[in-house]
């Protein structure tokens, strides 16, 4: 646990010192949504919802891609000796989940500002956004590890990840559809639990499989 | 490998499936009265076994990927790749036979049915698997990274095809609001059809294995020639 926190802190410090990813992604978010606004103006709710989650998907690929590529071969070896593979992947998952939740919230804010506000139930939607950002980041963090091992960038991540992320995205769309009307949808809790179960599955798989990615 | 009785069995079972599958009397109730399946119902003996074949083969591929991670023997990696490859071919065949069938009974070859989406996702996953393999020149690393992706993808894919069809409306049997198990037509299958269907499943699965073993022999010989 101590190791994990130390590694998260290291990522955080790097982020604060370099301020490259954060502002880079922030700019990416802002300009994408601005282009969308110019193209679509204020779309109806269904389109709004679909666009929102698709944008999250692309933001996630870009935000998470860097997390493994920035680590050089030598530094990886160093982490391996001081912390071990499991601590390392868990710290990355944690950090990226945090980063992605932040980015999702920022993009929600921008969506509200530019694309109109069709939300009937904003607090619920904020909850979904946090859960969604977290789910997306978990899957893509592990895929970033694979892509980094293959010395490839975000393009390979997208190829590997888009088929795998479909169940999460479908569940998220269904969930967030409930935030647009004042109706209580039956089975909402079931969908949320399914999503959480998928997240746990991804974390468990990452913990089991990551050590094999690391060995050289 | 050297045993050939199961190859004879494959031929007999498939001959039986083709002959009986095209001749067996269909249950009037299911084929004509309650649905618009009519004679296209016979596709059941050819379309559904493709999915059994595909799932079986990718599961075998998964087992070899796990074996590879436990003990890095290049032979395991070749096994995992070839079974995944034949599995993908059977997936494509399943998709095509399904699309032809859907064209006649549902009115369109593609109707965004959850199972069609699931099948398309499986294809994307395994094509991505081969792209990933080819992106790495180093054989050792390639085998390991590909094995990791194979395992990861399989364990996300299986829950997905269990969840998706039950969650949304489906034209297949067993979707939301319709009877039966989404895994297969279970209860709606009558006794004579079962007598054709299950031998058919076995026959197609054996054929898939046969094709894979042929490919494996070629690959292993190539490997031998390479190292010698």
């Amino acid at each position: 646990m101590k190791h994990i926190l130390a590694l998260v802190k290291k990522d955080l410090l790097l982020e604060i010192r370099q301020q490259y990813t954060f502002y880079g992604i922030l700019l990416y978010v802002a300009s994408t949504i601005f282009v969308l606004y110019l193209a679509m103006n204020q779309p109806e709710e269904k389109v709004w919802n679909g666009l929102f989650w698709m944008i999250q998907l692309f933001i996630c690929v870009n935000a998470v891609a860097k997390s493994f590529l920035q680590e050089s071969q030598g530094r990886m070896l160093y982490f391996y000796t001081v912390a071990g593979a499991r601590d390392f992947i868990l710290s990355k998952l944690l950090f990226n989940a945090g980063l992605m939740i932040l980015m999702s919230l920022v993009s929600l804010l921008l969506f509200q500002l530019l694309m109109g506000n069709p939300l009937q139930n904003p607090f619920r939607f904020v909850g979904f956004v946090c859960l969604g950002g977290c789910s997306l980041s978990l899957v893509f963090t592990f895929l970033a590890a694979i892509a980094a091992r293959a010395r490839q960038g975000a393009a390979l991540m997208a190829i590997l990840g888009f088929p795998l992320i479909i169940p999460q995205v479908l569940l998220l769309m269904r969930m967030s559809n409930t935030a647009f009307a004042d109706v209580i949808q039956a089975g909402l809790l079931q969908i949320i639990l399914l999503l959480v179960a998928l997240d746990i599955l991804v974390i468990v798989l990452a913990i089991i499989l990551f050590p094999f990615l690391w060995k050289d | 490998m050297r045993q050939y009785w199961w190859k004879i069995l494959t031929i007999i079972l498939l001959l039986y499936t083709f002959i009986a599958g095209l001749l067996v009397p269909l249950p009037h109730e299911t084929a004509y009265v309650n649905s618009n399946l009519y004679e296209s119902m016979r596709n059941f003996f050819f379309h559904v076994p493709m999915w059994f074949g595909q799932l079986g083969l990718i599961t075998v591929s998964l087992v070899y990927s796990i074996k590879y991670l436990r003990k890095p023997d290049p032979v395991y990696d070749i096994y995992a790749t070839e079974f995944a490859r034949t599995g993908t071919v059977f997936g494509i065949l399943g998709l095509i036979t399904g699309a032809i069938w859907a064209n006649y009974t549902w009115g369109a070859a593609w109707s965004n049915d959850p199972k069609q989406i699931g099948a398309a996702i499986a294809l994307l996953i395994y094509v991505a698997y081969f792209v990933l393999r080819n992106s790495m020149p180093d054989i050792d690393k390639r085998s390991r990274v590909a094995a990791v992706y194979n395992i990861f993808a399989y364990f996300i894919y299986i829950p997905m095809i269990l969840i998706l069809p039950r969650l949304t409306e489906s034209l297949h049997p067993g979707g939301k609001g319709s009877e039966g198990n989404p895994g297969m037509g279970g209860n709606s299958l009558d006794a004579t059809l079962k007598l054709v269907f299950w031998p058919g499943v076995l026959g197609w699965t054996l054929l898939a294995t046969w094709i894979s073993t042929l490919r494996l022999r070629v690959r292993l010989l190539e490997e031998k020639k390479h190292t010698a």
Side-chain angles (χ1 to χ4, degrees), chain B residues 59-134:
Chain B
T59 309
V60 174
S61 169
L62 168 87
V63 170
Y64 279 106
S65 282
I66 294 174
K67 271 188 164 175
Y68 181 84
L69 288 187
R70 294 178 69 93
K71 184 173 160 288
D73 180 346
V75 174
Y76 289 151
D77 181 52
I78 296 176
Y79 270 79
T81 324
E82 290 310 322
F83 278 109
R85 203 190 301 272
T86 325
T88 312
V89 171
F90 268 68
I92 295 171
L93 288 177
L95 210 56
I96 295 172
T97 49
I100 295 170
W101 198 0
N103 198 21
Y104 289 105
T105 51
W106 300 341
W110 190 271
S111 43
N112 271 343
D113 186 79
K115 283 207 181 161
Q116 290 178 324
I117 297 172
I121 292 172
L123 285 187
L124 288 176
I125 288 176
Y126 282 93
V127 172
Y129 170 74
F130 290 114
V131 170
L132 176 69
R133 292 187 66 86
N134 292 335

Side-chain angles (χ1 to χ4, degrees), chain A residues 26-34 37 48 52 103-116:
Chain A
L26 210 58
L27 193 62
Y28 182 84
V29 173
S31 48
T32 321
I33 296 173
F34 186 61
Y37 163 67
W48 196 97
F52 181 78
M103 287 301 160
S104 300
L105 290 175
V106 170
S107 48
L108 177 62
L109 199 72
L110 283 171
F111 252 73
Q112 295 272 354
L113 277 176
L114 294 175
M115 316 272 288

